[in-house]
Amino acid sequence: MPLDLHVFRTLSDNAGALLHDPASGACAAIDVPDAGETLAAAAAKGWTISDIFITHAHHDHTQGVAEVKRATGAKVFGPADAQGSAPVDTVVAEGDDVALGSERFETWHTPGHSDGHLSFVGRGAKLALVGDVVFVMGCGRVQPGQMERMWTSLSRLMALPGDTRLLGGHDYTLSNARFAHSVEPRNAALTARLAEAEKAKAEGRFWALTTVAEERATNPFFRAGEPALAAVIGLAGAPADAVFAALREAKNRF
Ligand SMILES: [Zn+2]
């Protein structure tokens, strides 16, 4: 039986997410930006949180973890550098995996946005929980001097099968779409997605879930290896990692 995924807006633009295994009843919260909103979402679904997977140590992803753990007794899995901000029971790192019912999620070290950042990659579930590495049509901010690490992290996620769903940690979708469209105004898939992002915003619809294939078609950071992108940014012939870094700097100024 496939896992159920419930994604909801929490704080202002953070993604709250609950992953539920109907066979075993196990339920994982993916980060806890706000304990009350996460507990309420689980109660509304009739699910009991048994596990918490932390993608990275930033406060807006960890500040509700202790309270949800107290309320539910959930087991907490996360990176070593989240131990200062959340009660991590089991530190996980590259090469480990975590289980939810019968589904396994590989833990990948995907630094660049934060040093210990993890992505949880479920090949059976065709779902990767990527925190602040990938957003719909965008990517997370990069720590100073860490463009190479971020590019490596993105490149690994980009290489997953196209039908793999990616869940990012924020809905910055409309802002990302506008930047992407400014870079590639003649990309038809992107034009359609910008219209969809405007509609989602107007309707108050939260949007943080995408697929690898859709990002390959529309996300400028995924597309840094396309010759057309290099030319637009004034780096014709440059390697993809240099194009990525220039695009990320341009987004900061957008
Ligand atoms: Zn973050």
Side-chain angles (χ1 to χ4, degrees):
M1 231 184 305
L3 297 177
D4 305 315
L5 174 63
H6 175 53
V7 180
F8 53 97
R9 180 190 307 278
T10 182
L11 301 179
S12 59
D13 54 42
N14 278 75
L18 297 170
L19 199 54
H20 174 252
D21 175 40
S24 65
C27 176
I30 315 310
D31 296 331
V32 187
D34 183 278
E37 290 175 343
T38 297
L39 290 168
K45 285 285 184 185
W47 300 343
T48 302
I49 297 170
S50 54
D51 300 83
I52 298 170
F53 300 162
I54 298 174
T55 62
H56 66 296
H58 288 166
H59 196 57
D60 63 318
H61 293 254
T62 59
Q63 61 189 353
V65 171
E67 189 179 334
V68 169
K69 181 177 170 59
R70 268 198 305 278
T72 62
K75 303 180 298 291
V76 181
F77 300 84
D81 66 355
Q83 287 175 296
S85 51
V88 178
D89 296 307
T90 304
V91 169
V92 285
E94 177 74 34
D96 292 333
D97 55 53
V98 296
L100 190 73
S102 56
E103 292 288 349
R104 274 181 55 246
F105 287 79
E106 300 169 13
T107 53
W108 290 10
H109 182 214
T110 49
H113 173 76
S114 79
D115 288 338
H117 200 298
L118 299 177
S119 294
F120 296 88
V121 178
R123 294 183 182 274
K126 292 188 178 295
L127 173 65
L129 312 164
V130 298
D132 289 0
V133 180
V134 182
F135 302 132
V136 180
M137 291 175 271
C139 74
R141 284 189 176 276
V142 180
Q143 297 187 109
Q146 304 222 349
M147 286 292 188
E148 269 308 321
R149 296 179 93 194
M150 188 68 161
W151 175 245
T152 301
S153 298
L154 279 177
S155 298
R156 292 181 70 189
L157 294 166
M158 280 157 57
L160 284 165
D163 60 352
T164 306
R165 292 169 294 162
L166 301 173
L167 176 66
H170 294 267
D171 177 353
Y172 297 145
T173 302
L174 182 54
S175 156
N176 288 339
R178 286 176 175 155
F179 171 72
H181 194 256
S182 77
V183 174
E184 285 193 285
R186 282 183 295 280
N187 177 332
L190 184 50
T191 301
R193 252 185 147 196
L194 171 59
E196 185 61 31
E198 281 166 345
K199 188 157 173 274
K201 185 74 165 189
E203 294 171 355
R205 185 154 38 90
F206 189 77
W207 188 2
L209 190 64
T210 184
T211 65
V212 169
E214 288 171 296
E215 294 313 300
R216 281 187 199 137
T218 59
N219 187 323
F221 304 109
F222 273 44
R223 296 169 59 73
E226 298 278 332
L229 267 284
V232 165
I233 203 90
L235 288 173
D241 59 343
V243 175
F244 163 72
L247 283 168
R248 185 57 259 196
E249 296 288 354
K251 173 67 166 68
N252 290 344
R253 294 189 300 271
F254 184 69

